[in-house]
């Protein structure tokens, strides 16, 4: 995902500039938009990766898609184009978001449930994450009906699986051993 050393370097540079200009949050929102757009559009991803598509065409597409982007974000895109590194844009965006969250002392808690989380449950999850890690968190809810019920909570390297399907699998293993 965001393991590229070059992507991390670009992200650190943009974060430093954005922090100096007091626009780090706006750039973070741009980076989330970029990541979401690339994740949702296979055509956009392929265009960014393609060596055949001219840089000027890539820039035209990106400026029209992200026309309300912050100046730092636009400068990042220009720098990636001039350095022939535009294929790293998605990795840079992901790295920036991680670095920004780390700088603010927040993290993303991913909660996988069979049905969407209610506001009350989301509040309880945030309280539990704060208790476990000591940090603030944002909740990302993933809906996966295959877990049948319960939830799977992931925060950083910690995973807690309280899903019904997991409990059924454990029971199945117990019965097959006997």
């Amino acid at each position: 995902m965001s393991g590229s050393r070059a992507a991390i370097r670009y992200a650190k540079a943009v974060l430093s500039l954005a922090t100096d200009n007091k626009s780090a949050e706006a750039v973070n929102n741009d980076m989330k938009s970029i990541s979401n757009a690339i994740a949702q559009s296979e055509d956009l991803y392929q265009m960014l990766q393609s060596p055949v598509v001219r840089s000027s065409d890539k820039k035209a597409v990106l400026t029209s898609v992200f026309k309300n982007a912050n100046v730092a974000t636009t400068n990042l895109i220009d720098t990636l184009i001039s350095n022939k590194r535009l294929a790293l844009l998605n990795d840079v965006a992901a790295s920036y978001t991680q670095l920004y969250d780390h700088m603010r002392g927040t993290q993303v808690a991913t909660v996988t449930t069979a049905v969407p989380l209610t506001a009350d449950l989301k509040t309880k999850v945030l309280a539990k994450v704060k208790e476990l890690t000591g940090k603030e968190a944002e909740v990302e809810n993933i809906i996966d009906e295959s877990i049948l019920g319960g939830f799977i909570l992931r925060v950083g390297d910690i995973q807690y699986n309280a899903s019904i399907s997991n409990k059924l699998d454990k029971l199945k293993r117990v019965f097959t051993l006997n």
Side-chain angles (χ1 to χ4, degrees):
M1 180 172 147
S2 59
S4 168
R5 289 171 55 179
I8 293 170
R9 287 184 184 135
Y10 281 109
K12 283 181 179 178
V14 172
L15 180 61
S16 176
L17 285 170
T19 303
D20 291 346
N21 294 331
K22 298 182 181 8
S23 61
E25 186 175 352
V27 174
N28 187 51
N29 293 336
D30 290 345
M31 294 299 156
K32 286 180 179 179
S33 296
I34 289 169
S35 289
N36 290 338
I38 293 172
Q40 292 174 1
S41 173
E42 182 66 25
D43 291 338
L44 181 59
Y45 174 78
Q46 291 300 327
M47 185 222 33
L48 291 173
Q49 301 302 316
S50 176
V52 177
V53 179
R54 290 191 316 236
S55 295
S56 59
D57 293 338
K58 291 178 182 181
K59 182 176 180 173
V61 168
L62 290 173
T63 52
S64 68
V65 171
F66 304 110
K67 55 183 153 254
N68 297 326
N70 188 285
V71 175
T73 304
T74 307
N75 290 341
L76 168 67
I77 292 170
D78 290 341
T79 302
L80 290 173
I81 288 171
S82 65
N83 292 343
K84 300 190 184 333
R85 297 285 209 141
L86 195 56
L88 292 176
L89 182 60
N90 194 32
D91 290 341
V92 172
S95 294
Y96 181 94
T97 302
Q98 289 174 350
L99 290 169
Y100 179 76
D101 287 344
H102 182 71
M103 179 185 81
R104 284 187 35 225
T106 62
Q107 55 196 348
V108 177
T110 306
V111 181
T112 306
T113 56
V115 295
L117 280 178
T118 63
D120 184 44
L121 283 175
K122 193 177 268 193
T123 305
K124 289 179 182 177
V125 167
L126 287 172
K128 190 64 173 175
V129 169
K130 174 120 175 131
E131 178 187 319
L132 289 172
T133 64
K135 293 182 176 179
E136 294 293 325
E138 294 177 17
V139 174
E140 178 183 324
N141 186 209
I142 299 173
I143 298 166
D144 180 3
E145 291 153 2
S146 70
I147 68 168
L148 303 176
F151 64 93
I152 301 171
L153 174 64
R154 285 187 192 95
V155 183
D157 294 342
I158 302 168
Q159 177 174 315
Y160 180 72
N161 191 339
S163 66
I164 302 296
S165 63
N166 185 48
K167 291 177 183 177
L168 289 173
D169 285 342
K170 286 180 181 175
L171 276 174
K172 183 178 175 183
R173 280 184 255 140
V174 168
F175 286 130
T176 55
L177 291 176
N178 293 333

